[in-house]
Amino acid sequence: MSKPLEGIKIIDFTHVQAGPACTQLLAWFGADVIKVERPGAGDVTRSQLRDIPGVDALYFTMLNSNKRSLTLDTKKPEGKEILTKLIKESDVLVENFGPGALDRMGFTWEHIKELNPGMIVASVKGFSDGHHYEDLKVYENVAQCAGGAASTTGFDDGPPTVSAAALGDSNTGMHLAIGILTALRARDTTGKGQKVAVSMQDSVLNLCRVKLRDQQRLDRVGYLEEYPQYPHGTFSDVVPRGGNAGGGGQPGWVLKCKGWETDPNAYIYFTIQGHAWAPICKALGKEEWIDDPAYMTAGARQDKIFAIFGTIEDWLKDKTKFEAVDILRKFDIPCSPVLSMKEIAADPSLRASGTIAEVEHKERGTYLTVGSPIKFSDMKVDIKGSPLLGEHTDEVLESLGYSSKDIAALHEKQVV
Ligand code: CAO
């Protein structure tokens, strides 16, 4: 089956997570992604957090599936020549080097545009161009702090907290993928490429949109009624950390289930959706609350919301998280068990949908990865194992017109 991005050639100059997550997604959808890596070393994640000595780490394999690997020292003249040839015949160059690295290598946007006016150059940086921190190198948690996520995550009596979700890295990569596809669409009509830039700070902030909403509400009225600090606690002039409170108009919290004393994930998330109040009362056996003026509206419930959560926890005491959700789903109550990574890895629905995919790797055997979260009616996304370092060097060089003698010489000089 042909894939929509077949025919799009991408020079993947990315490393670690933010850039590789972007190009992996484009590779799944059919683009020919050629990962350019330094000879002998490659992407630093190949050797970071290894679980099998000498074998590419899961950190690398889970972010670089469906790609080809070309080793190339782009600081050597012959390496620059090869990169120049590649640029002339590619559609997109994606990079997430530290600020200025591509320019220092001699490949400024102006130069790339001269070589190939249709080229799209897509970059991830920590901060946007012209930002007062634009010179900073940035990793995931730095971005979570700079983008407003850390100050608003965690509990009121604890420090700013980062999320386990890669809001700075993979999230930025997803934003960049949208930018690249948009630029490709624009090129269809203009014939011209362009520069696409996404900063990690901006991408985190884009997901923290509701917290900027809350800052403005707080500035105006002095309190935020959906936060646990309301109405019994106090507010300062900045959005507080809201613990596990729901971020919209539906109060919710993480609640203990049977076994919580020993199982760190024996919890469910429970949402009190306004119009589901009657079903909630029925599910809990608290029918008397349905028409009680002290409980029947969201406003009336607000000052005793934690007492209500306490009653629900009482009801949950003899139910596992799975039993509880099986009961509550019949009452149309938005809820979920808190799933551990072990449970997710074994989840039959996630396996069946391809969201958890078992992939074959030449050296490590099979491993699990997260497949495409985007499902298409007319395309099946097949996840292939990540490439070994330099696995496709010779075939890429041959396609650029290098003879086997030239290629041997390039290996000899450690250009590739
Ligand atoms: N051949 C020769 N040189 C190469 C090369 C190749 N194939 N690939 C990379 N290099 C060189 C670069 O040209 C650069 O050289 P100079 O600094 O001398 O110009 C050098 O390698 C280091 O690049 P770097 O600054 O990107 O690497 P780092 O390890 O010091 O920093 C990181 C890593 C992630 C902090 C930085 O790349 C960064 O801030 N990137 C932008 C933000 C980002 O994407 N962060 C998310 C990473 S995922 O958590």
Side-chain angles (χ1 to χ4, degrees), residues 272-291 295-297 301 331-333:
I272 301 184
Q273 202 184 9
H275 68 259
W277 180 241
I280 289 169
C281 296
K282 283 182 193 151
L284 300 176
K286 298 289 281 181
E287 271 94 342
E288 67 274 19
W289 280 355
I290 297 176
D291 298 316
Y295 287 91
M296 62 193 282
T297 64
R301 290 191 289 273
F331 291 87
D332 221 10
I333 295 165

Side-chain angles (χ1 to χ4, degrees), residues 13 15-20 36-39 44-45 59 70-76 95-105 124-127 135-141 168-170 172 200 415:
F13 235 149
H15 63 159
V16 202
Q17 183 174 170
V36 180
E37 299 178 82
R38 240 187 297 214
V44 68
T45 59
Y59 198 2
L70 162 72
T71 45
L72 193 61
D73 186 337
T74 53
K75 286 196 171 159
K76 293 194 166 132
E95 63 94 16
N96 68 320
F97 292 128
L102 198 61
D103 293 355
R104 288 194 293 278
M105 216 183 264
V124 167
K125 295 286 166 273
F127 295 89
D135 57 319
L136 276 176
K137 287 184 173 180
V138 169
Y139 284 106
E140 172 66 52
N141 293 344
D169 283 340
S170 280
T172 306
M200 295 168 73
V415 174

Side-chain angles (χ1 to χ4, degrees), residues 8-263:
I8 301 291
K9 194 166 188 168
I10 299 181
I11 303 171
D12 180 14
F13 235 149
T14 70
H15 63 159
V16 202
Q17 183 174 170
C22 165
T23 48
Q24 172 172 260
L25 190 87
L26 301 174
W28 288 342
F29 303 160
D32 177 13
V33 175
I34 302 172
K35 183 159 177 116
V36 180
E37 299 178 82
R38 240 187 297 214
D43 189 326
V44 68
T45 59
R46 284 190 186 267
S47 55
Q48 269 179 357
L49 311 174
R50 273 189 173 138
D51 57 322
I52 306 176
V55 172
D56 285 338
L58 289 164
Y59 198 2
F60 179 84
T61 63
M62 293 178 73
L63 285 156
N64 290 285
S65 55
N66 297 47
K67 301 181 184 179
R68 297 199 282 164
S69 167
L70 162 72
T71 45
L72 193 61
D73 186 337
T74 53
K75 286 196 171 159
K76 293 194 166 132
E78 299 94 330
K80 289 188 201 297
E81 199 181 299
I82 293 166
L83 183 59
T84 301
K85 286 188 179 161
L86 259 182
I87 288 173
K88 284 183 178 164
E89 60 165 52
S90 297
D91 301 280
V92 185
L93 183 150
V94 190
E95 63 94 16
N96 68 320
F97 292 128
L102 198 61
D103 293 355
R104 288 194 293 278
M105 216 183 264
F107 291 90
T108 60
W109 164 233
E110 285 69 27
H111 180 45
I112 294 174
K113 210 165 40 166
E114 259 170 36
L115 295 172
N116 179 353
M119 189 73 162
I120 290 155
V121 175
S123 301
V124 167
K125 295 286 166 273
F127 295 89
S128 57
D129 280 351
H131 190 285
H132 55 274
Y133 286 151
E134 71 174 350
D135 57 319
L136 276 176
K137 287 184 173 180
V138 169
Y139 284 106
E140 172 66 52
N141 293 344
V142 178
Q144 290 201 27
C145 291
S151 72
T152 51
T153 303
F155 289 85
D156 205 20
D157 56 357
T161 304
V162 295
S163 164
L167 307 178
D169 283 340
S170 280
N171 167 46
T172 306
M174 299 304 104
H175 279 79
L176 192 68
I178 295 167
I180 291 169
L181 295 174
T182 306
L184 282 168
R185 181 81 181 98
R187 196 183 67 171
D188 289 343
T189 36
T190 64
K192 284 192 342 198
Q194 60 182 303
K195 217 175 147 187
V196 180
V198 180
S199 88
M200 295 168 73
Q201 181 190 37
D202 293 356
S203 300
V204 172
L205 178 57
N206 191 29
L207 299 194
C208 290
R209 188 169 289 265
V210 296
K211 298 298 175 181
L212 186 57
R213 171 202 70 188
D214 294 348
Q215 184 61 53
Q216 295 173 85
R217 292 167 58 220
L218 185 66
D219 290 345
R220 193 175 301 276
V221 298
Y223 62 89
L224 299 163
E225 66 262 31
E226 75 280 25
Y227 282 63
Q229 292 81 353
Y230 179 86
H232 305 297
T234 52
F235 286 88
S236 72
D237 61 350
V238 299
V239 175
R241 294 186 261 289
N244 287 316
Q250 326 292 345
W253 204 255
V254 167
L255 302 178
K256 291 170 189 153
C257 295
K258 184 176 156 188
W260 68 272
E261 299 89 342
T262 50
D263 175 355

